[in-house]
Amino acid sequence: MSQRFRTSRRALTAAAATAALTVTLAACGGGSGSGTDKHAGHGSTPSSSAPADGMASMPGMDSASTGNGLAAAKDGYRMTSTTDTLSAGRASGYRFAVTGPDGRPVTGFAVDQTKRMHFYAVRSDLTGFQHVHPTMAGNGTWTAPLAALQPGTWRLYASFTPDSGPGKGKDLVLSRTVKVPGMAMTTPLPKASGTTTADGYTVAVQGEPMAGMAHQLTATVSKDGKPVTDLQPYLDTYAHLTAFHQGDLAFAHLHPESKADGGHGGPTLTFHAEFAQSGNWRLFLQFQTGGTLHTAALTLHVG
């Protein structure tokens, strides 16, 4: 197992212990697949449990020592932006920067799954989802190309690894929120289900994860009842899986257990999964066939 996975397991053990203590103290003190945005990129009322930017929150799973992805600052690194509102119904570019412990913009980032920065946008009711890869200017300012957003509150996540300085080699996920003006029509989260459909493909996910424990999730892709074996390489593997926790939108990046080996893959894909928090998680599985990216969404219950 890679150093990234070992680091993740150590971080999750600590996060799980924190979650258990929180639950104990509290006790004593007592879109469906069709709702997923489909666009050329990858890929509502705000939750009262979602923290303000830069504030701590409940523990959630994330890659390595990233925490739950709900803070704008961690370990001296900060996601900064002057934008807190984006227009509804049209594409937009979200500009931001990552500053280091010295307060200056970070410009050196390690490559992770072929990219130096992964950027996610998810609406507070989990019906909207985008995964894009921003471009960085020489001064350290990133621009994330977002497809049209529906009205509501959106949380925007930057996932990266500094390539120098005190955070070198450490995986981080920071996030901020933006408002999209207009009438926000919320959609209840679909019930937990092991299967979903997207663009004519059927995706089945198997696994019974428990909070605070490492598990394997297996996804199988089929079409018209037949196994799909023409999955194309995407981000150095055959599928990309991300999850967000219902309510607080804690972030979980679930790592593929193998890299792409050849031009065609499938139908079975396996992922290393660790969830520090129980409850419902919305999973977004992205895979590519015939040069087209597909996004399948389903709800997974973590015990």
Side-chain angles (χ1 to χ4, degrees):
M1 186 172 291
S2 68
Q3 181 179 356
R4 181 185 179 96
F5 289 171
R6 291 196 298 269
T7 306
S8 176
R9 187 166 302 191
R10 289 195 299 268
L12 263 296
T13 300
T18 302
L21 178 59
T22 301
V23 171
T24 301
L25 292 175
C28 293
S32 65
S34 61
T36 302
D37 291 339
K38 294 180 176 64
H39 47 79
H42 306 281
S44 125
T45 54
S47 166
S48 59
S49 61
D53 292 331
M55 300 299 290
S57 182
M58 298 173 65
M61 185 269 170
D62 201 272
S63 59
S65 59
T66 54
N68 56 18
L70 295 178
K74 182 175 175 60
D75 296 340
Y77 291 85
R78 180 177 295 275
M79 179 182 181
T80 65
S81 178
T82 59
T83 302
D84 56 15
T85 302
L86 292 174
S87 299
R90 62 182 179 86
S92 58
Y94 179 78
R95 300 184 65 189
F96 67 97
V98 174
T99 58
D102 59 2
R104 293 183 294 183
V106 178
T107 57
F109 296 85
V111 174
D112 174 36
Q113 288 192 269
T114 74
K115 303 296 181 180
R116 292 190 298 161
M117 177 76 71
H118 294 264
F119 189 90
Y120 306 89
V122 63
R123 205 171 74 138
S124 60
D125 65 352
L126 296 175
T127 56
F129 168 78
Q130 294 186 38
H131 171 197
V132 301
H133 302 111
T135 56
M136 187 185 73
N139 64 357
T141 299
W142 292 86
T143 301
L146 296 174
L149 301 176
Q150 297 300 313
T153 300
W154 290 74
R155 183 165 285 276
L156 309 178
Y157 306 77
S159 175
F160 60 92
T161 304
D163 200 28
S164 61
K168 181 177 180 179
K170 178 180 294 186
D171 301 317
L172 294 168
V173 176
L174 304 177
S175 70
R176 300 181 65 87
T177 59
V178 294
K179 298 283 188 179
V180 178
M183 182 67 70
M185 304 297 292
T186 61
T187 301
L189 189 72
K191 293 181 179 180
S193 173
T195 62
T196 189
T197 59
D199 303 333
Y201 292 88
T202 297
V203 175
V205 176
Q206 292 183 317
E208 297 181 356
M210 300 291 292
M213 300 176 62
H215 288 269
Q216 183 183 82
L217 289 181
T218 301
T220 304
V221 184
S222 61
K223 188 174 185 179
D224 299 326
K226 299 179 181 179
V228 172
T229 58
D230 63 344
L231 299 180
Q232 297 175 323
Y234 172 63
L235 299 178
D236 209 26
T237 184
Y238 291 115
H240 185 277
L241 185 62
T242 313
F244 302 88
H245 186 259
Q246 182 184 18
D248 59 5
L249 303 188
F251 174 91
H253 182 275
L254 310 180
H255 304 284
E257 293 193 338
S258 61
K259 293 185 176 182
D261 182 16
H264 295 83
T268 301
L269 311 161
T270 57
F271 297 87
H272 174 90
E274 296 182 21
F275 299 92
Q277 194 171 345
S278 61
N280 288 329
W281 291 75
R282 192 67 169 162
L283 272 60
F284 296 93
L285 179 75
Q286 296 178 283
F287 58 95
Q288 184 170 287
T289 60
T292 300
L293 185 67
H294 312 283
T295 301
L298 60 80
T299 303
L300 176 73
H301 183 74
V302 175

